[in-house]
Amino acid sequence: MILHLSPPPSTNRIWQRGRGGQVFRSKAYTTWLRRSHIVAGRPGKVDGRVMIRVKIIGGKGWRKGRDVDNIQKPLLDFLVHCGVIEDDNWEIVRRVTVFYCDPVKPKDDSKIIVTVRKVGSNADS
């Protein structure tokens, strides 16, 4: 399964604390989730153990100094939220690979391509 998404907010910006210490989703994260659901539609489900490949294509909307590891949490949460994977624990998600590519043209919008693949054998896990 392949999903084409806009970059999510950083892990550091997906949660906010309210009065009394209550934790809730930030406006930026809620907006990104809503837009991503519209783009992804009903993507289907990949049962069992999976491997996830995240390809970041830079461009407008991607800050060059952004930490690559802060993109994983919101993407994995999205995959669970929209029902693509059952959970984002290591029993289900056996491997996550994240890599960056420069944009074809500097003025192109940045994008994220997420590939979810069922683990086929013990060698894959």
Side-chain angles (χ1 to χ4, degrees):
M1 172 176 307
I2 300 173
L3 299 171
H4 296 259
L5 304 169
S6 63
S10 168
T11 298
N12 300 327
R13 295 184 163 200
I14 63 175
W15 303 107
Q16 290 181 311
R17 286 199 183 273
R19 294 182 183 179
Q22 181 182 7
V23 178
F24 57 94
R25 290 180 179 154
S26 70
K27 183 177 180 180
Y29 186 46
T30 303
T31 300
W32 178 80
L33 282 172
R34 192 176 316 112
R35 287 182 185 157
S36 296
H37 273 290
I38 291 168
V39 170
R42 293 182 168 235
K45 184 173 183 175
V46 180
D47 289 320
R49 294 178 173 176
V50 298
M51 293 188 298
I52 299 171
R53 179 178 176 249
V54 178
K55 181 178 182 179
I56 303 163
I57 302 174
K60 275 188 347 189
W62 184 263
R63 188 175 50 84
K64 288 186 179 187
R66 183 174 180 175
D67 288 347
V68 173
D69 62 338
N70 282 337
I71 200 167
Q72 294 177 56
K73 177 68 175 156
L75 288 172
L76 292 174
D77 284 351
F78 172 74
L79 294 174
V80 173
H81 189 70
C82 69
V84 172
I85 60 176
E86 180 182 338
D87 203 342
D88 59 354
N89 62 41
W90 286 108
E91 186 61 35
I92 302 297
V93 180
R94 303 303 286 191
R95 182 183 304 157
V96 178
T97 305
V98 180
F99 63 101
Y100 176 85
C101 297
D102 290 321
V104 175
K105 298 177 187 171
K107 293 188 177 188
D108 288 347
D109 288 334
S110 59
K111 59 185 166 185
I112 307 293
I113 301 171
V114 180
T115 305
V116 181
R117 192 181 85 172
K118 186 173 180 68
V119 173
S121 68
N122 288 340
D124 287 338
S125 59

